[in-house]
Amino acid sequence: MCGITGWIDWNRDLSGERQTLEGMNQQLVCHGPDGEGIWQSRQAGLCHRQLLGTDPEGVSQPMVRRFGNRHLVITFHGRLFDTGDLYRELKSRGYPVHSPSGPELVLAAYAEWGDAAPEHLDGIFAFAIWDETEQSLFMARDRFGIKPLFYTERAGGFLFASKLKALLAHPGVAPEVDGEGLAEVLVMGPSRTPGHGVFKGIKELLPGYALRANRSGIHRHPYWRLESRTHADDLETTIQRVRELFMDAVRHQMESDVPVGAMLSGGLDSSAISACAAEILHQEGKGPLPTFSLDYVGNDRYFRPNEFQPHADAPWVSRMVDRIGSRHHEVLIDTPDLVTALEDAVKARDLPGMADVDSSMILFCREIKKQAMVVLSGECADEVFGGYPWFHRRELVDADTFPWARLTDQRIRFLSPEVIQQIRPLEYVRDRYQEALAGVSRLPGEDPEEARIREIFHLNLTRWMPTLVDRLDRMSMAAGLEVRVPFCDHRLVEYIWNVPWSMKRSEGREKGLLRKAMAGILPEDVLWRKKSPFPKTHHPVYLKQVVERALGILDEGTSPVLDLLDLDAWRRFADQDLKGIHFPWFGQLMNVPQWFAYLIQLDQWMKEYRVIIK
């Protein structure tokens, strides 16, 4: 796990641009604090930051290899799983691969299959390969975009990086944000339209896409996408197949040169991963499995059940620890630390994000890092199997917008009239929603109810899930921790995509199919426990502190964010009894406290990144 960046220019000599490349690479230190590498030629500069520990071989990058007359250079970020088969196949084809390391295997795969190479890769990755002979660049990103990759085009040139800040470190890239970028931050945020880099001229390589850049231009193409087809298996066969695919995914993602742990909340998803991982270690004569849970100081006193969080996690964590015999570590976060870490979360994401949902994750990962280098997470099960309320509640299923962001009209009242006129927020959201629906892989003749649920799954996998995996990757990488997500195994997702909704909601329950597949692996009470999302603090001091800080920004009167806001609307909102207000402005966890925290993050982002509104 590392960070990558680079600069290609076909019209100028980059041999003397070492200082600029070093400046870009320096922005990736948090992703790779243990070493750096820069490779240069007249037309290209590729950079890499290294994180040791998860790769004891310490493979040096950028890596250079010659295949016949071809001179290839790679900078690679991520992890390949189940590399044995790929290693053996490439060896059998005569490629001199010395080890099953990610960058070496990818280079050899590219030499063999060219632009089709990503189809042969299983993992979480973003990489760039420069062909010095052909003077062309090839980039690719994993199927679900777990690893980020941004780029921008310049006259005769091309820049890429795994962090926005690395691109902004180039003197030719200004931190400008136009109306479209403002709409992304102020209305779509903390989600982001796929392909959008927020800053003017910066784009994101889409998940499952590859890109080729050369003197004649840039060509992007998908190498993977979900395809709709009729599901032929009966329920019992489907349950068995899901169980096999899931356990295989966990087994593959546990392959590591260092011990692997698991995040454990006591919910269905993390418990399933932890139970399978513990069993795999037991079969291999290893163990116990290190597990990690998160809670907050004061939650034992202040937790109150609600429609999204029906019960606290702690008793369920203990239930699972006793069941699988893991070596457990509880991480307790205090409110002042949670507020302070809001700033760290912005630096990690390069954008305002999910407020304390982000800052708690970065604090959680820092504590895990003291005990482990690699952990598994239950992220993405809800998107794959249908766990969220908007899969099950009629008014949410039928909502003619993104179901997790139904309150756009209420968010608008906090924006200045000038900004509303510029970005036309309702139109912008409507256009992005229709754009998303246009990408659904349809099944001809499908029942209208099944077709609508397929749309909801598509929205979740392509619009909601990227926000969560981006959060998980950015916060964990900022802590130097590698987190893997077995529920994002593409073979598992491909299979589940075409399973009828009646099977997915077996027993009339959210993720009913997953529950049936985990029967016998999990205790019955854990197996059928009602879904509870990522834990958050219920301490009233958190709301008090973020409101005070947000009002301080308004009262100080110097922040550039003030030009974007209706200050009176914010003050009127803050003057109410906020403990009695329900304002779920984004998903299940983003409510009143997170609204004020988002303002804090927006203020910090505009100041620290010196954002210029165009």
Side-chain angles (χ1 to χ4, degrees), residues 175-232:
E176 297 177 346
V177 175
D178 59 15
E180 192 169 317
L182 277 181
E184 288 291 318
V185 172
L186 297 177
V187 187
M188 300 295 291
S191 65
R192 184 164 42 81
T193 301
H196 209 296
V198 176
F199 292 97
K200 187 177 179 180
I202 295 181
K203 301 174 184 177
E204 173 191 47
L205 185 62
L206 291 170
Y209 267 66
L211 176 152
R212 177 169 295 284
N214 52 33
R215 292 180 186 274
S216 62
I218 293 172
H219 174 70
R220 293 168 290 269
H221 72 274
Y223 67 86
W224 179 86
R225 59 175 44 149
L226 287 169
E227 296 182 1
S228 297
R229 55 177 63 91
T230 301
H231 183 73

Side-chain angles (χ1 to χ4, degrees), residues 418-437:
E418 295 77 15
V419 167
I420 293 173
Q421 183 176 8
Q422 179 186 7
I423 68 176
R424 306 174 79 86
L426 293 177
E427 292 180 24
Y428 189 84
V429 173
R430 184 186 65 236
D431 290 346
R432 297 292 79 77
Y433 176 68
Q434 293 301 324
E435 180 180 275
L437 290 184

Side-chain angles (χ1 to χ4, degrees), residues 338-531:
L338 191 64
V339 176
T340 300
L342 289 171
E343 298 181 1
D344 297 334
V346 171
K347 295 175 185 176
R349 198 189 272 261
D350 287 333
L351 292 166
M354 295 186 74
D356 56 279
V357 184
D358 279 2
S359 61
S360 60
M361 179 60 77
I362 200 170
L363 293 172
F364 188 30
C365 290
R366 285 173 183 169
E367 291 302 311
I368 294 175
K369 179 63 186 294
K370 295 175 182 178
Q371 305 290 335
M373 296 292 296
V374 182
V375 291
L376 306 180
S377 168
E379 209 76 66
C380 306
D382 289 304
E383 292 83 357
V384 174
F385 285 91
Y388 293 116
W390 45 78
F391 284 99
H392 305 273
R393 287 167 47 178
R394 191 75 253 168
E395 76 276 13
L396 300 182
V397 172
D398 293 338
D400 191 23
T401 188
F402 300 107
W404 52 85
R406 308 181 321 282
L407 302 185
T408 302
D409 57 337
Q410 294 188 40
R411 291 179 66 171
I412 291 173
R413 62 191 171 100
F414 293 93
L415 303 178
S416 73
E418 295 77 15
V419 167
I420 293 173
Q421 183 176 8
Q422 179 186 7
I423 68 176
R424 306 174 79 86
L426 293 177
E427 292 180 24
Y428 189 84
V429 173
R430 184 186 65 236
D431 290 346
R432 297 292 79 77
Y433 176 68
Q434 293 301 324
E435 180 180 275
L437 290 184
V440 178
S441 173
R442 307 287 180 176
L443 185 63
E446 190 168 42
D447 173 83
E449 174 69 12
E450 288 281 349
R452 177 54 181 166
I453 291 296
R454 190 180 293 275
E455 289 181 346
I456 298 294
F457 271 99
H458 174 83
L459 293 173
N460 275 266
L461 291 170
T462 65
R463 297 306 191 270
W464 173 262
M465 192 170 81
T467 305
L468 300 187
V469 297
D470 190 50
R471 155 195 172 248
L472 182 65
D473 181 74
R474 300 310 184 86
M475 302 308 126
S476 61
M477 286 303 302
L481 178 70
E482 179 180 334
V483 181
R484 303 175 181 177
V485 279
F487 282 110
C488 273
D489 180 274
H490 68 277
R491 289 165 293 260
L492 176 64
V493 177
E494 285 170 350
Y495 185 78
I496 298 300
W497 170 253
N498 286 305
V499 173
W501 180 231
S502 58
M503 290 188 185
K504 288 176 182 172
R505 64 186 303 269
S506 291
E507 305 297 329
R509 288 296 305 276
E510 74 281 1
K511 293 181 289 191
L513 178 59
L514 177 60
R515 296 177 194 275
K516 282 184 170 289
M518 293 298 104
I521 294 176
L522 296 179
E524 282 292 307
D525 52 352
V526 175
L527 190 68
W528 296 102
R529 177 191 173 192
K530 186 173 172 58
K531 172 181 166 50

Side-chain angles (χ1 to χ4, degrees), residues 1-4 48 54-55 61 75-81 102-103 123-127 142 146-147 473 477 482 484:
M1 293 297 172
C2 310
I4 64 173
H48 186 267
T54 59
D55 183 9
Q61 293 192 62
T75 182
F76 174 89
H77 170 41
R79 179 73 52 191
L80 298 186
F81 306 129
I124 51 178
F125 55 80
F127 64 83
D142 65 71
I146 309 299
K147 291 300 169 187
D473 181 74
M477 286 303 302
E482 179 180 334
R484 303 175 181 177

Side-chain angles (χ1 to χ4, degrees), residues 76-364:
F76 174 89
H77 170 41
R79 179 73 52 191
L80 298 186
F81 306 129
D82 195 27
T83 57
D85 288 345
L86 181 60
Y87 175 75
R88 286 185 289 272
E89 181 172 3
L90 291 168
K91 289 281 282 188
S92 71
R93 291 170 179 262
Y95 287 92
V97 285
H98 304 293
S99 71
S101 71
E104 188 166 15
L105 287 175
V106 173
L107 266 184
Y110 177 72
E112 172 64 18
W113 294 296
D115 288 12
E119 300 172 28
H120 298 264
L121 306 179
D122 175 15
I124 51 178
F125 55 80
F127 64 83
I129 296 175
W130 171 251
D131 188 323
E132 180 72 359
T133 308
E134 295 183 354
Q135 296 283 285
S136 68
L137 183 78
F138 178 79
M139 304 196 315
R141 192 173 176 212
D142 65 71
R143 293 166 179 82
F144 294 104
I146 309 299
K147 291 300 169 187
L149 188 56
F150 298 95
Y151 66 93
T152 185
E153 305 167 47
R154 289 294 178 265
F158 185 90
L159 300 159
F160 68 88
S162 50
K163 273 184 71 68
L164 287 167
K165 204 165 188 178
L167 294 178
L168 296 173
H170 188 280
V173 182
E176 297 177 346
V177 175
D178 59 15
E180 192 169 317
L182 277 181
E184 288 291 318
V185 172
L186 297 177
V187 187
M188 300 295 291
S191 65
R192 184 164 42 81
T193 301
H196 209 296
V198 176
F199 292 97
K200 187 177 179 180
I202 295 181
K203 301 174 184 177
E204 173 191 47
L205 185 62
L206 291 170
Y209 267 66
L211 176 152
R212 177 169 295 284
N214 52 33
R215 292 180 186 274
S216 62
I218 293 172
H219 174 70
R220 293 168 290 269
H221 72 274
Y223 67 86
W224 179 86
R225 59 175 44 149
L226 287 169
E227 296 182 1
S228 297
R229 55 177 63 91
T230 301
H231 183 73
D233 295 340
D234 61 20
L235 179 58
E236 289 308 313
T237 304
T238 299
I239 291 169
Q240 183 59 33
R241 184 60 179 149
V242 168
R243 186 179 182 125
E244 292 169 355
L245 287 168
F246 174 68
M247 296 187 73
D248 194 49
V250 174
R251 189 179 300 276
H252 284 170
Q253 297 200 21
M254 286 192 70
E255 293 181 7
S256 173
D257 295 312
V258 297
V260 176
M263 295 179 172
L264 176 62
S265 70
L268 172 65
D269 313 333
S270 65
S271 295
I273 287 175
S274 298
C276 290
E279 177 59 25
I280 290 168
L281 289 179
H282 176 71
Q283 292 173 1
E284 296 174 349
K286 302 174 183 177
L289 175 74
T291 54
F292 304 87
S293 65
L294 171 67
D295 208 342
Y296 301 85
V297 174
N299 265 8
D300 54 340
R301 286 180 290 153
Y302 296 109
F303 175 80
R304 296 292 182 274
N306 60 48
E307 61 175 325
F308 293 133
Q309 289 187 293
H311 30 60
D313 285 334
W316 298 94
V317 171
S318 298
R319 177 85 168 95
M320 282 304 302
V321 169
D322 292 341
R323 169 74 172 228
I324 65 177
S326 65
R327 186 173 70 251
H328 189 68
H329 310 266
E330 183 186 45
V331 175
L332 274 178
I333 296 177
D334 204 358
T335 300
D337 298 326
L338 191 64
V339 176
T340 300
L342 289 171
E343 298 181 1
D344 297 334
V346 171
K347 295 175 185 176
R349 198 189 272 261
D350 287 333
L351 292 166
M354 295 186 74
D356 56 279
V357 184
D358 279 2
S359 61
S360 60
M361 179 60 77
I362 200 170
L363 293 172
F364 188 30

